[in-house]
Amino acid sequence: MKPLSSPILDEKLKEHVLIQYLSRFTTVSEEDAHILLENLDVRSFKKGDILLREGQISPWCYFVLKGCVRQYYLVDGEEKTTNFFTEGTPINLYEGFYKNAPAKYYLVCLEDSYLSVGPPEDTSHPLATKFEPVCRLSSQEESSKYQEMLAMYMIHSPEERYLNLLKTRPDLIERVPQYYLASYLGVTPETLSRIRKRIMSK
Amino acid sequence: MKPLSSPILDEKLKEHVLIQYLSRFTTVSEEDAHILLENLDVRSFKKGDILLREGQISPWCYFVLKGCVRQYYLVDGEEKTTNFFTEGTPINLYEGFYKNAPAKYYLVCLEDSYLSVGPPEDTSHPLATKFEPVCRLSSQEESSKYQEMLAMYMIHSPEERYLNLLKTRPDLIERVPQYYLASYLGVTPETLSRIRKRIMSK
DNA sequence: TTTCTTTCTTGACGAAAATCAATGAAATTG
DNA sequence: CAATTTCATTGATTTTCGTCAAGAAAGAAA
């Protein structure tokens, strides 16, 4: 397991991102928020830090408070980027925690990041029962989101996928190196470069 | 809304599929199973029956007891098949129920099917509280499943995706017309035909 | 700054898939 | 059953993308 850096105590940051996220599924009282933040383990990671390697069985779950985490599979020695987790996104390692199965992919910090780290299910937690439905709602939303992402990927051409990314996640195009985006869109860097050129001249 | 046919009372069928599914997430007592099946609304559908049309706001959730439901998007007048739901699979219409948003896709029965139909969240249900964690676990599994499906789709070529389908869901290749499979794999029917030919001669 | 490395762009060529068109096979219907 | 429709295959051609290779641009480090 990777060494984790020292915990962080920037309450404002946590409040803005995590509490705001939970508020989408329930009403979070001042008091609840306080208890939550007290018990939260927030840690800072450096660009390039590896959260998870292929083959590892990780007991951790993450929530991105700040920064960006890239997911990739290693096939024939080549990195295939499949996801970017940014601010306000949960990273659930279902296989590791529930099925005790080794991960098939890597998780790496693309930027210096603040992540909240913890086991997905802490029944001893003072708010565990209250937040059970919140976890369900969050999971349902995640499930629905990924179903739609899959469908959108299946339906569209690489050029359409790039235009889609421009609309839905314009920040990614700014902060992520283009050859990672290319992989994420399912094309080579050369092709993405040409797609961009094609679009510009319109 | 489509007219639903009359309810079914084949207890054995229900037990085999739904209770078995729930047992993956909790221990279901004889008594629980009985209460569940009593309250279950199972309905029969004919091949071609439409469960959901683009633009509809559906309050229903489904669980496939028997048969197959195809999901597709309509783009430029063309059907793009994005999923096949078969025995033991939940069909959650998150957008419709939680976000009150119109569906972007269609759901059609590919075969005569038995589906359990119901709202996803019936708090008055006698087992609602007990099954809250089950719903969460199920959603988490679904979420993880679709994340992996998306990654696998992104990573592999059409030929690899077909070989993958042969391994993971060989039943689909038997029961689903090839031009639907082609769409699902992201290629034209002609290309799938050639992929199969290529594979045969090895 | 200069150098070195990394990332992006461009061109030439080959491979794979889409498209168009025709034919054959299989299923459905009267 | 034949007639019709639907679906699968095959061939010829075009389009798109991948691969290889060479530079250009942009950052990072000395």
Side-chain angles (χ1 to χ4, degrees), chain A residues 25 71 73 75 80-83 85 92 94-95 98 104 121 132-133 135-137 139-144 146-155 183-186, chain B residues 25 71 73 75 80-83 85 92 94-95 98 104 121 132-133 135-137 139-144 146-155 183-186:
Chain A
F25 305 109
Q71 179 190 47
Y73 288 70
V75 284
K80 300 271 194 177
T81 296
T82 50
N83 213 347
F85 300 93
N92 291 303
Y94 184 85
E95 334 75 53
Y98 290 100
K104 298 173 184 163
E121 182 171 44
E132 176 73 45
C135 287
R136 177 180 53 84
L137 285 165
S139 296
Q140 286 179 343
E141 188 191 64
E142 286 290 291
S143 167
S144 150
Y146 283 107
Q147 277 187 58
E148 181 166 354
M149 284 174 70
L150 174 58
M152 291 303 101
Y153 196 96
M154 293 168 102
I155 283 177
S183 177
Y184 180 63
L185 294 169
Chain B
F25 304 109
Q71 178 190 48
Y73 287 69
V75 283
K80 299 273 193 174
T81 297
T82 50
N83 213 348
F85 300 93
N92 291 304
Y94 183 85
E95 332 79 48
Y98 289 100
K104 296 173 185 165
E121 182 172 43
E132 176 73 44
C135 286
R136 176 180 54 85
L137 285 164
S139 295
Q140 286 179 343
E141 188 191 62
E142 287 290 291
S143 169
S144 149
Y146 284 107
Q147 277 187 59
E148 182 166 353
M149 285 174 70
L150 173 58
M152 291 302 104
Y153 196 96
M154 293 167 103
I155 283 176
S183 177
Y184 180 64
L185 294 170

Coordinates of all heavy atoms in Angstrom, one line a residue, chain A residues 25 71 73 75 80-83 85 92 94-95 98 104 121 132-133 135-137 139-144 146-155 183-186, chain B residues 25 71 73 75 80-83 85 92 94-95 98 104 121 132-133 135-137 139-144 146-155 183-186:
Chain A
F25 N -28.7 14.7 -2.0 CA -29.4 13.5 -1.7 C -30.2 13.6 -0.3 O -31.1 12.8 -0.1 CB -28.5 12.3 -1.6 CG -27.7 12.1 -2.9 CD1 -26.4 12.3 -2.9 CD2 -28.3 11.7 -4.0 CE1 -25.6 12.1 -4.0 CE2 -27.6 11.5 -5.2 CZ -26.2 11.8 -5.2
Q71 N -7.9 7.0 -14.3 CA -8.0 5.6 -14.3 C -7.5 5.0 -15.6 O -7.9 5.6 -16.6 CB -9.5 5.1 -14.1 CG -9.7 3.6 -14.1 CD -11.1 3.2 -14.2 OE1 -11.9 3.7 -15.0 NE2 -11.5 2.3 -13.3
Y73 N -6.2 1.2 -17.8 CA -5.9 -0.2 -17.9 C -4.6 -0.3 -18.7 O -4.3 0.4 -19.6 CB -7.0 -1.0 -18.6 CG -8.3 -1.1 -17.8 CD1 -9.1 0.0 -17.6 CD2 -8.7 -2.4 -17.4 CE1 -10.3 -0.2 -16.8 CE2 -9.9 -2.5 -16.6 CZ -10.6 -1.4 -16.4 OH -11.8 -1.6 -15.7
V75 N -2.8 -2.5 -21.2 CA -3.0 -3.7 -22.2 C -1.9 -3.6 -23.2 O -1.6 -2.7 -23.9 CB -4.3 -3.6 -22.9 CG1 -5.5 -4.0 -22.0 CG2 -4.6 -2.2 -23.4
K80 N -4.4 2.5 -21.3 CA -5.7 2.9 -21.9 C -6.5 3.6 -20.9 O -7.0 3.0 -19.9 CB -6.4 1.7 -22.3 CG -5.7 0.8 -23.4 CD -6.0 1.2 -24.8 CE -5.6 0.2 -25.8 NZ -6.0 0.6 -27.2
T81 N -6.5 4.9 -21.0 CA -7.2 5.8 -20.0 C -8.7 5.6 -20.2 O -9.3 5.8 -21.3 CB -6.8 7.2 -20.2 OG1 -5.5 7.4 -19.9 CG2 -7.6 8.1 -19.3
T82 N -9.4 5.3 -19.1 CA -10.9 5.1 -19.2 C -11.7 6.0 -18.3 O -12.9 6.0 -18.5 CB -11.2 3.6 -18.7 OG1 -10.5 3.4 -17.4 CG2 -10.6 2.6 -19.7
N83 N -11.1 6.8 -17.5 CA -11.9 7.7 -16.7 C -11.0 8.8 -16.0 O -9.8 8.6 -15.8 CB -12.6 7.0 -15.6 CG -14.0 7.6 -15.2 OD1 -14.3 8.7 -15.7 ND2 -14.8 6.9 -14.5
F85 N -11.5 11.3 -12.7 CA -12.3 11.6 -11.5 C -11.9 13.0 -11.1 O -10.8 13.2 -10.7 CB -12.2 10.6 -10.4 CG -12.5 9.2 -10.7 CD1 -11.6 8.3 -11.2 CD2 -13.8 8.8 -10.6 CE1 -11.9 7.0 -11.6 CE2 -14.2 7.5 -10.9 CZ -13.2 6.6 -11.4
N92 N -15.4 4.6 -6.0 CA -15.7 3.4 -5.3 C -15.0 2.1 -5.9 O -15.2 1.8 -7.0 CB -17.2 3.1 -5.3 CG -17.9 4.2 -4.5 OD1 -17.7 4.4 -3.3 ND2 -18.9 4.9 -5.1
Y94 N -15.5 -1.1 -5.7 CA -16.4 -2.2 -5.4 C -15.8 -3.6 -5.3 O -15.9 -4.3 -4.4 CB -17.6 -2.2 -6.3 CG -18.7 -3.2 -6.0 CD1 -19.7 -2.8 -5.1 CD2 -18.7 -4.4 -6.6 CE1 -20.6 -3.8 -4.8 CE2 -19.6 -5.3 -6.2 CZ -20.6 -5.0 -5.3 OH -21.6 -5.9 -5.0
E95 N -15.0 -3.9 -6.4 CA -14.4 -5.2 -6.5 C -13.5 -5.5 -5.3 O -13.6 -6.6 -4.7 CB -13.5 -5.3 -7.7 CG -13.9 -4.4 -8.9 CD -13.4 -3.0 -8.7 OE1 -12.3 -2.7 -8.4 OE2 -14.3 -2.1 -8.8
Y98 N -15.9 -5.4 -1.7 CA -17.0 -6.4 -1.5 C -16.7 -7.7 -2.0 O -17.1 -8.7 -1.5 CB -18.3 -5.9 -2.2 CG -18.8 -4.7 -1.5 CD1 -18.7 -3.4 -1.9 CD2 -19.6 -4.9 -0.3 CE1 -19.2 -2.3 -1.2 CE2 -20.1 -3.8 0.4 CZ -19.9 -2.5 -0.1 OH -20.4 -1.5 0.6
K104 N -8.3 -4.5 -11.7 CA -7.8 -4.7 -13.1 C -7.2 -3.4 -13.7 O -6.8 -3.4 -14.8 CB -8.9 -5.2 -14.0 CG -9.6 -6.5 -13.5 CD -10.8 -6.8 -14.3 CE -11.5 -8.1 -13.8 NZ -12.9 -8.2 -14.2
E121 N -17.9 1.5 4.1 CA -19.0 1.1 4.9 C -18.5 1.0 6.4 O -17.9 0.1 6.8 CB -19.5 -0.2 4.5 CG -20.7 -0.8 5.2 CD -21.2 -2.0 4.5 OE1 -20.4 -2.8 4.1 OE2 -22.5 -2.1 4.4
E132 N -27.2 5.7 5.2 CA -27.5 4.5 4.4 C -28.3 4.9 3.1 O -27.8 4.6 2.0 CB -28.2 3.5 5.2 CG -28.6 2.2 4.5 CD -27.4 1.3 4.1 OE1 -26.5 1.1 5.0 OE2 -27.3 0.9 2.9
P133 N -29.4 5.6 3.3 CA -30.2 5.9 2.1 C -29.4 6.9 1.1 O -29.6 6.8 -0.1 CB -31.4 6.6 2.6 CG -31.5 6.2 4.0 CD -30.1 5.9 4.5
C135 N -26.2 6.8 0.6 CA -25.3 6.0 -0.1 C -26.0 5.3 -1.3 O -25.5 5.1 -2.4 CB -24.6 4.9 0.8 SG -23.4 5.6 1.9
R136 N -27.2 4.8 -1.0 CA -28.0 4.1 -2.0 C -28.3 5.1 -3.1 O -28.1 4.8 -4.3 CB -29.3 3.6 -1.4 CG -30.2 3.0 -2.5 CD -31.5 2.4 -2.0 NE -32.2 3.4 -1.2 CZ -33.1 4.3 -1.7 NH1 -33.2 4.4 -3.0 NH2 -33.7 5.1 -0.9
L137 N -28.8 6.3 -2.8 CA -29.1 7.3 -3.8 C -27.9 7.6 -4.6 O -27.9 7.7 -5.9 CB -29.7 8.5 -3.2 CG -31.1 8.4 -2.7 CD1 -31.5 9.5 -1.7 CD2 -32.1 8.3 -3.9
S139 N -25.3 5.8 -5.1 CA -24.9 4.6 -6.0 C -25.8 4.5 -7.2 O -25.4 4.2 -8.3 CB -25.0 3.3 -5.2 OG -24.0 3.3 -4.1
Q140 N -27.1 4.8 -6.9 CA -28.1 4.7 -8.0 C -27.8 5.8 -9.1 O -27.8 5.5 -10.3 CB -29.5 4.9 -7.5 CG -30.0 3.7 -6.8 CD -31.4 3.8 -6.3 OE1 -31.9 5.0 -6.1 NE2 -32.1 2.7 -5.9
E141 N -27.4 6.9 -8.6 CA -27.0 8.0 -9.5 C -25.8 7.6 -10.3 O -25.7 7.8 -11.5 CB -26.8 9.3 -8.8 CG -26.6 10.5 -9.8 CD -26.1 11.7 -9.1 OE1 -25.0 11.7 -8.5 OE2 -26.9 12.7 -9.0
E142 N -24.8 7.1 -9.6 CA -23.6 6.6 -10.3 C -23.9 5.6 -11.3 O -23.4 5.6 -12.5 CB -22.6 6.0 -9.2 CG -21.9 7.0 -8.4 CD -20.9 7.9 -9.1 OE1 -19.9 7.3 -9.5 OE2 -21.2 9.1 -9.3
S143 N -24.7 4.6 -10.9 CA -25.1 3.5 -11.8 C -25.7 4.1 -13.1 O -25.4 3.7 -14.2 CB -26.0 2.6 -11.1 OG -26.6 1.7 -12.0
S144 N -26.7 5.0 -12.9 CA -27.4 5.6 -14.0 C -26.4 6.4 -14.9 O -26.5 6.4 -16.1 CB -28.5 6.5 -13.5 OG -28.8 7.5 -14.3
Y146 N -23.2 6.0 -15.3 CA -22.3 5.1 -16.1 C -23.0 4.4 -17.2 O -22.5 4.2 -18.3 CB -21.5 4.2 -15.2 CG -20.4 4.9 -14.5 CD1 -20.4 5.2 -13.1 CD2 -19.2 5.3 -15.2 CE1 -19.4 5.9 -12.5 CE2 -18.2 6.0 -14.6 CZ -18.3 6.3 -13.2 OH -17.3 6.9 -12.6
Q147 N -24.3 4.0 -17.0 CA -25.1 3.4 -18.0 C -25.2 4.4 -19.2 O -25.0 4.0 -20.3 CB -26.5 3.1 -17.5 CG -26.5 1.8 -16.8 CD -28.0 1.4 -16.5 OE1 -28.8 1.2 -17.3 NE2 -28.2 1.2 -15.2
E148 N -25.4 5.7 -18.9 CA -25.6 6.7 -19.9 C -24.3 6.9 -20.6 O -24.2 7.1 -21.8 CB -26.2 8.0 -19.4 CG -26.4 9.0 -20.5 CD -27.3 10.1 -20.1 OE1 -27.8 10.1 -19.0 OE2 -27.4 11.1 -20.9
M149 N -23.2 7.0 -19.8 CA -21.9 7.2 -20.4 C -21.5 6.1 -21.4 O -21.0 6.3 -22.5 CB -20.8 7.3 -19.4 CG -20.8 8.6 -18.6 SD -19.6 8.6 -17.2 CE -18.0 8.6 -18.1
L150 N -21.8 4.9 -21.0 CA -21.6 3.7 -21.9 C -22.4 3.9 -23.2 O -21.9 3.7 -24.3 CB -22.0 2.4 -21.2 CG -21.9 1.1 -22.0 CD1 -20.5 0.9 -22.6 CD2 -22.4 -0.1 -21.2
A151 N -23.7 4.2 -23.0 CA -24.5 4.3 -24.2 C -24.0 5.4 -25.1 O -23.9 5.3 -26.4 CB -26.0 4.6 -23.8
M152 N -23.6 6.6 -24.5 CA -23.1 7.7 -25.3 C -21.9 7.3 -26.1 O -21.7 7.7 -27.2 CB -22.9 8.9 -24.4 CG -24.2 9.6 -23.9 SD -25.4 10.1 -25.1 CE -26.6 8.8 -25.1
Y153 N -21.0 6.6 -25.4 CA -19.8 6.1 -26.1 C -20.1 5.2 -27.2 O -19.5 5.3 -28.3 CB -18.9 5.4 -25.0 CG -17.4 5.3 -25.5 CD1 -16.5 6.2 -25.1 CD2 -17.1 4.2 -26.3 CE1 -15.2 6.0 -25.5 CE2 -15.8 4.1 -26.7 CZ -14.8 5.0 -26.3 OH -13.5 4.8 -26.7
M154 N -21.0 4.3 -27.0 CA -21.4 3.3 -28.1 C -22.0 4.0 -29.3 O -21.7 3.6 -30.4 CB -22.4 2.3 -27.5 CG -21.9 1.4 -26.4 SD -23.2 0.5 -25.6 CE -23.1 -1.1 -26.4
I155 N -22.8 5.0 -29.0 CA -23.6 5.7 -30.1 C -22.8 6.6 -31.0 O -23.0 6.7 -32.1 CB -24.7 6.5 -29.4 CG1 -25.8 5.5 -29.0 CG2 -25.3 7.5 -30.4 CD1 -27.0 6.2 -28.3
S183 N -6.8 8.8 -25.7 CA -7.0 7.5 -25.2 C -8.4 7.3 -24.7 O -9.1 6.4 -25.0 CB -5.9 7.2 -24.2 OG -6.2 5.9 -23.6
Y184 N -8.8 8.3 -23.9 CA -10.1 8.3 -23.3 C -11.2 8.3 -24.3 O -12.3 7.7 -24.2 CB -10.2 9.6 -22.4 CG -11.5 9.7 -21.7 CD1 -12.0 8.8 -20.7 CD2 -12.3 10.8 -21.9 CE1 -13.2 9.0 -20.1 CE2 -13.5 11.0 -21.2 CZ -13.9 10.1 -20.3 OH -15.1 10.3 -19.6
L185 N -11.0 9.0 -25.5 CA -11.9 9.1 -26.5 C -11.9 7.9 -27.5 O -12.7 7.8 -28.4 CB -11.8 10.4 -27.3 CG -12.1 11.7 -26.6 CD1 -11.6 12.9 -27.4 CD2 -13.5 11.8 -26.3
G186 N -10.9 7.0 -27.2 CA -10.8 5.8 -28.1 C -10.0 6.0 -29.4 O -10.3 5.3 -30.3
Chain B
F25 N -27.1 -10.6 -1.7 CA -26.8 -9.4 -0.9 C -27.2 -9.5 0.6 O -26.8 -8.7 1.4 CB -27.4 -8.2 -1.5 CG -27.1 -7.9 -2.9 CD1 -28.0 -8.1 -4.0 CD2 -25.8 -7.5 -3.3 CE1 -27.7 -7.9 -5.3 CE2 -25.5 -7.3 -4.6 CZ -26.4 -7.5 -5.6
Q71 N -32.6 -2.3 -25.0 CA -32.6 -0.8 -24.9 C -32.0 -0.2 -26.1 O -30.9 -0.8 -26.6 CB -31.7 -0.4 -23.7 CG -31.6 1.1 -23.5 CD -30.5 1.5 -22.5 OE1 -29.4 1.0 -22.5 NE2 -30.9 2.4 -21.6
Y73 N -31.3 3.7 -28.4 CA -31.5 5.1 -28.7 C -31.8 5.3 -30.2 O -31.3 4.5 -31.0 CB -30.2 5.9 -28.4 CG -29.9 6.0 -26.9 CD1 -29.5 4.9 -26.2 CD2 -30.0 7.2 -26.3 CE1 -29.2 5.0 -24.8 CE2 -29.6 7.3 -24.9 CZ -29.3 6.2 -24.2 OH -29.0 6.3 -22.9
V75 N -31.2 7.6 -33.2 CA -30.4 8.7 -33.7 C -30.5 8.8 -35.2 O -30.1 7.8 -35.9 CB -28.9 8.6 -33.2 CG1 -28.8 9.1 -31.7 CG2 -28.4 7.2 -33.4
K80 N -30.0 2.5 -32.3 CA -28.7 2.1 -31.8 C -28.9 1.3 -30.5 O -29.2 1.9 -29.4 CB -27.9 3.4 -31.4 CG -27.6 4.3 -32.7 CD -26.4 3.8 -33.4 CE -26.0 4.9 -34.4 NZ -24.7 4.6 -35.1
T81 N -28.7 0.0 -30.6 CA -28.9 -0.8 -29.4 C -27.8 -0.7 -28.4 O -26.6 -0.8 -28.8 CB -29.0 -2.3 -29.9 OG1 -30.2 -2.4 -30.7 CG2 -29.2 -3.2 -28.7
T82 N -28.1 -0.4 -27.2 CA -27.1 -0.2 -26.2 C -27.1 -1.2 -25.0 O -26.1 -1.2 -24.2 CB -27.2 1.2 -25.6 OG1 -28.5 1.4 -25.2 CG2 -26.8 2.3 -26.6
N83 N -28.1 -2.0 -24.9 CA -28.1 -3.0 -23.8 C -29.2 -4.1 -24.0 O -30.2 -3.8 -24.7 CB -28.4 -2.3 -22.5 CG -27.7 -2.9 -21.3 OD1 -27.2 -4.0 -21.4 ND2 -27.7 -2.2 -20.2
F85 N -31.2 -6.6 -21.4 CA -31.5 -7.0 -20.0 C -32.1 -8.4 -20.0 O -33.2 -8.6 -20.6 CB -32.4 -6.0 -19.3 CG -31.9 -4.6 -19.3 CD1 -32.2 -3.7 -20.3 CD2 -31.1 -4.2 -18.2 CE1 -31.8 -2.4 -20.2 CE2 -30.7 -2.9 -18.1 CZ -31.0 -2.0 -19.1
N92 N -33.4 -0.2 -13.8 CA -33.8 1.0 -13.0 C -33.8 2.3 -13.9 O -32.9 2.6 -14.6 CB -32.7 1.2 -11.9 CG -32.8 0.2 -10.8 OD1 -33.9 -0.1 -10.3 ND2 -31.7 -0.5 -10.6
Y94 N -33.7 5.5 -13.4 CA -33.3 6.5 -12.4 C -33.8 7.9 -12.8 O -34.4 8.6 -12.0 CB -31.8 6.6 -12.2 CG -31.3 7.5 -11.2 CD1 -31.3 7.2 -9.9 CD2 -30.9 8.8 -11.6 CE1 -30.8 8.1 -8.9 CE2 -30.5 9.7 -10.6 CZ -30.4 9.3 -9.3 OH -30.0 10.2 -8.3
E95 N -33.6 8.3 -14.1 CA -33.9 9.6 -14.6 C -35.4 9.9 -14.3 O -35.8 10.9 -13.8 CB -33.6 9.8 -16.1 CG -32.5 8.9 -16.6 CD -32.9 7.5 -16.8 OE1 -34.0 7.3 -17.5 OE2 -32.2 6.6 -16.4
Y98 N -36.4 9.6 -10.2 CA -35.8 10.6 -9.2 C -35.6 12.0 -9.8 O -35.7 13.0 -9.0 CB -34.4 10.1 -8.8 CG -34.5 8.9 -7.9 CD1 -34.3 7.6 -8.4 CD2 -34.8 9.0 -6.5 CE1 -34.4 6.5 -7.5 CE2 -34.9 7.9 -5.7 CZ -34.7 6.7 -6.2 OH -34.8 5.6 -5.4
K104 N -34.4 9.1 -22.6 CA -33.7 9.4 -23.9 C -33.7 8.2 -24.8 O -33.1 8.2 -25.8 CB -32.3 9.9 -23.6 CG -32.2 11.2 -22.8 CD -30.8 11.5 -22.5 CE -30.7 12.7 -21.6 NZ -29.4 12.9 -20.9
E121 N -39.1 2.6 -4.9 CA -38.9 2.9 -3.5 C -40.3 3.0 -2.9 O -41.0 4.0 -3.0 CB -38.3 4.3 -3.4 CG -38.0 4.8 -2.0 CD -37.2 6.0 -2.1 OE1 -37.4 6.9 -2.9 OE2 -36.2 6.2 -1.3
E132 N -33.3 -1.8 2.5 CA -32.6 -0.6 2.1 C -31.1 -0.9 1.8 O -30.6 -0.5 0.7 CB -32.7 0.4 3.2 CG -31.9 1.7 3.0 CD -32.5 2.6 1.9 OE1 -33.8 2.8 1.9 OE2 -31.7 3.1 1.1
P133 N -30.4 -1.6 2.7 CA -29.0 -1.9 2.4 C -28.9 -2.8 1.2 O -27.9 -2.8 0.5 CB -28.6 -2.7 3.7 CG -29.5 -2.2 4.7 CD -30.8 -2.0 4.1
C135 N -30.7 -2.8 -1.5 CA -30.8 -1.9 -2.6 C -29.5 -1.1 -2.9 O -29.1 -1.0 -4.0 CB -31.9 -0.8 -2.4 SG -33.6 -1.5 -2.6
R136 N -28.9 -0.7 -1.8 CA -27.6 0.0 -1.9 C -26.6 -0.9 -2.5 O -25.9 -0.6 -3.5 CB -27.1 0.5 -0.6 CG -25.8 1.1 -0.6 CD -25.3 1.6 0.7 NE -25.3 0.6 1.7 CZ -24.3 -0.2 2.0 NH1 -23.2 -0.2 1.2 NH2 -24.4 -1.1 2.9
L137 N -26.5 -2.2 -2.0 CA -25.5 -3.1 -2.5 C -25.7 -3.4 -3.9 O -24.8 -3.5 -4.7 CB -25.5 -4.4 -1.6 CG -24.9 -4.3 -0.3 CD1 -25.3 -5.4 0.6 CD2 -23.4 -4.2 -0.4
S139 N -27.2 -1.5 -6.1 CA -26.9 -0.3 -6.9 C -25.4 -0.2 -7.1 O -24.9 0.2 -8.1 CB -27.4 0.9 -6.3 OG -28.8 0.9 -6.3
Q140 N -24.7 -0.5 -6.0 CA -23.2 -0.4 -6.0 C -22.7 -1.4 -7.0 O -21.8 -1.1 -7.8 CB -22.6 -0.6 -4.7 CG -22.8 0.6 -3.7 CD -22.2 0.4 -2.4 OE1 -21.9 -0.8 -2.0 NE2 -22.0 1.4 -1.6
E141 N -23.2 -2.6 -7.0 CA -22.8 -3.7 -7.9 C -23.1 -3.2 -9.4 O -22.2 -3.4 -10.3 CB -23.5 -5.0 -7.6 CG -22.9 -6.1 -8.5 CD -23.7 -7.4 -8.4 OE1 -24.9 -7.4 -8.8 OE2 -23.2 -8.4 -7.9
E142 N -24.3 -2.7 -9.6 CA -24.7 -2.2 -10.9 C -23.7 -1.1 -11.4 O -23.2 -1.2 -12.5 CB -26.1 -1.6 -10.9 CG -27.2 -2.7 -10.8 CD -27.3 -3.5 -12.1 OE1 -27.7 -2.9 -13.1 OE2 -27.0 -4.7 -12.0
S143 N -23.4 -0.2 -10.5 CA -22.5 0.9 -10.8 C -21.2 0.4 -11.2 O -20.6 0.8 -12.2 CB -22.4 1.8 -9.6 OG -21.4 2.8 -9.8
S144 N -20.6 -0.5 -10.4 CA -19.3 -1.1 -10.7 C -19.4 -1.9 -12.0 O -18.4 -1.8 -12.8 CB -18.9 -2.0 -9.5 OG -18.1 -3.1 -10.0
Y146 N -21.3 -1.4 -14.7 CA -21.4 -0.5 -15.8 C -20.1 0.2 -16.0 O -19.7 0.5 -17.2 CB -22.6 0.4 -15.8 CG -23.9 -0.3 -16.1 CD1 -24.8 -0.6 -15.1 CD2 -24.1 -0.7 -17.4 CE1 -25.9 -1.3 -15.4 CE2 -25.3 -1.4 -17.7 CZ -26.2 -1.7 -16.7 OH -27.3 -2.4 -17.0
Q147 N -19.4 0.6 -14.9 CA -18.1 1.2 -15.1 C -17.1 0.3 -15.8 O -16.4 0.7 -16.7 CB -17.5 1.5 -13.7 CG -18.0 2.8 -13.1 CD -17.3 3.2 -11.8 OE1 -16.1 3.3 -11.8 NE2 -18.0 3.4 -10.8
E148 N -17.2 -1.0 -15.4 CA -16.3 -2.0 -16.1 C -16.7 -2.2 -17.5 O -15.8 -2.3 -18.4 CB -16.2 -3.3 -15.3 CG -15.3 -4.3 -16.0 CD -15.0 -5.5 -15.1 OE1 -15.4 -5.5 -13.9 OE2 -14.3 -6.4 -15.6
M149 N -18.0 -2.3 -17.8 CA -18.5 -2.5 -19.2 C -18.0 -1.3 -20.1 O -17.6 -1.5 -21.2 CB -20.0 -2.6 -19.2 CG -20.5 -3.9 -18.7 SD -22.3 -3.9 -18.6 CE -22.8 -3.9 -20.4
L150 N -18.1 -0.1 -19.5 CA -17.6 1.1 -20.3 C -16.2 1.0 -20.6 O -15.7 1.1 -21.7 CB -17.9 2.3 -19.5 CG -17.4 3.7 -20.0 CD1 -17.9 3.9 -21.4 CD2 -17.8 4.8 -19.1
A151 N -15.4 0.6 -19.6 CA -13.9 0.5 -19.8 C -13.6 -0.6 -20.8 O -12.8 -0.4 -21.7 CB -13.2 0.2 -18.4
M152 N -14.3 -1.7 -20.7 CA -14.0 -2.8 -21.6 C -14.4 -2.4 -23.1 O -13.7 -2.8 -24.0 CB -14.8 -4.1 -21.2 CG -14.4 -4.7 -20.0 SD -12.6 -5.2 -20.0 CE -11.8 -4.0 -19.0
Y153 N -15.5 -1.7 -23.2 CA -15.9 -1.2 -24.5 C -14.8 -0.2 -25.1 O -14.5 -0.3 -26.3 CB -17.2 -0.5 -24.4 CG -17.9 -0.3 -25.8 CD1 -18.9 -1.2 -26.2 CD2 -17.6 0.8 -26.6 CE1 -19.5 -1.1 -27.5 CE2 -18.2 0.9 -27.8 CZ -19.2 0.0 -28.2 OH -19.8 0.2 -29.5
M154 N -14.3 0.7 -24.2 CA -13.4 1.6 -24.7 C -12.1 1.0 -25.1 O -11.4 1.4 -26.1 CB -13.1 2.6 -23.5 CG -14.2 3.5 -23.2 SD -13.9 4.4 -21.6 CE -13.5 6.0 -22.2
I155 N -11.7 0.0 -24.4 CA -10.4 -0.7 -24.6 C -10.3 -1.6 -25.8 O -9.2 -1.7 -26.4 CB -10.0 -1.5 -23.3 CG1 -9.6 -0.6 -22.2 CG2 -9.0 -2.5 -23.6 CD1 -9.3 -1.3 -20.9
S183 N -25.1 -3.7 -33.8 CA -25.3 -2.4 -33.3 C -24.8 -2.3 -31.8 O -24.1 -1.3 -31.5 CB -26.8 -2.1 -33.3 OG -27.1 -0.8 -32.7
Y184 N -25.0 -3.3 -31.0 CA -24.6 -3.3 -29.7 C -23.0 -3.3 -29.6 O -22.4 -2.8 -28.7 CB -25.1 -4.6 -29.0 CG -24.7 -4.8 -27.6 CD1 -25.1 -3.9 -26.6 CD2 -24.0 -5.9 -27.2 CE1 -24.8 -4.1 -25.2 CE2 -23.7 -6.1 -25.8 CZ -24.0 -5.2 -24.9 OH -23.7 -5.4 -23.6
L185 N -22.4 -4.0 -30.6 CA -20.9 -4.0 -30.6 C -20.3 -2.8 -31.3 O -19.1 -2.6 -31.3 CB -20.5 -5.3 -31.3 CG -20.8 -6.6 -30.6 CD1 -20.5 -7.8 -31.6 CD2 -20.0 -6.7 -29.3
G186 N -21.2 -1.9 -31.8 CA -20.7 -0.7 -32.4 C -20.2 -0.8 -33.8 O -19.4 0.0 -34.3

